[in-house]
Amino acid sequence: MTIGRPVLRFQSVASTQDIVFRLAELGAAHGTTVRAEYQTAGRGRQGRRWDSPPSTSLMFSVLLRPTCGLHELGTFSLLIGNALADVFARYTQRPVALKWPNDVLIDGQKCSGVLIQTRTSPEPVAVVGIGINVSTSLDHLPAGATSLNVASGKPVDRESLFRACTDALERSWNQVGLELPRDVHRAIENRLWLKGQIVAVRDAGAEYRGQLIGIDPAGGLTLSIDGESKTIVSGELTRGPRVIGAEN
Ligand code: BTN
């Protein structure tokens, strides 16, 4: 196991992502992990912020030094989301859904998000940042979010959860390839949020609307748009426009 060795812990930082990128420049080893109790400028996907009251969530970033090209890491995002979903299901005993590419939802509410950032120079590195709402109370959660304590109705131990997550990340890293392993692909399809429903995916100014069919083996999202199949490799998935009189 290398992910989570070593772990550097901070009370407050701007963003654990920045610290890991800086450590990468200084030659830190693959697997180096930075964890913070609080972030003053936490980053989310699509330029969003990630805010959480002190010591209520798990916030950490991991340095990965790929031995393959960064373009071969396409399945990693989904592998992590699915691995976190397995961990949360174990800890909460609740059904857990995966919103493509890697948000984890319980009762349709987001409890965790993953941000993967890469740099190619001077050497290729990927930094995976994970935020998990653990003991955050409802009045500190934004609309559409939940925490593991709220979802399970019992306290979840952050230390043991942290170890379970770094172990899960290690397993995901060992499964990375151009295609998802078959059993993982099946598990993702089974817990895929909005599968079969009408959805919208926005990506760099383009918007696609159609029925969510599933995940292709390389981790893309497949929609049926006017009867044609289209696979999308990145973007923001939302529920599509509601059709009056239909359930979606
Ligand atoms: C998202 O859902 O938009 C991704 C959220 C990722 C948040 C984590 S918290 C630890 C790490 N540091 C950051 O600044 N962001 C990630």
Side-chain angles (χ1 to χ4, degrees), residues 31-49:
T32 299
T33 299
V34 170
R35 190 176 151 186
E37 294 299 312
Y38 184 63
Q39 295 186 124
T40 55
R43 292 202 290 278
R45 290 176 66 239
Q46 311 275 340
R48 287 187 297 259
R49 282 182 62 93

Side-chain angles (χ1 to χ4, degrees), residues 41-126:
R43 292 202 290 278
R45 290 176 66 239
Q46 311 275 340
R48 287 187 297 259
R49 282 182 62 93
W50 180 272
D51 289 321
S52 181
S55 304
T56 60
S57 59
L58 268 181
M59 295 182 288
F60 61 97
S61 299
V62 178
L63 171 62
L64 300 171
R65 293 191 180 276
T67 49
C68 59
L70 288 173
H71 65 281
E72 290 177 49
L73 301 182
T75 54
F76 188 43
S77 182
L78 266 170
L79 285 167
I80 299 175
N82 187 55
L84 291 175
D86 281 342
V87 172
F88 301 166
R90 222 166 54 231
Y91 272 78
T92 64
Q93 304 291 309
R94 306 273 307 144
V96 177
L98 185 60
K99 179 186 168 201
W100 182 86
N102 51 30
D103 283 350
V104 185
L105 313 182
I106 304 180
D107 300 323
Q109 311 285 301
K110 176 166 168 169
C111 54
S112 146
V114 180
L115 173 69
I116 303 178
Q117 297 183 295
T118 56
R119 273 185 201 163
T120 49
S121 169
E123 298 152 347
V125 293

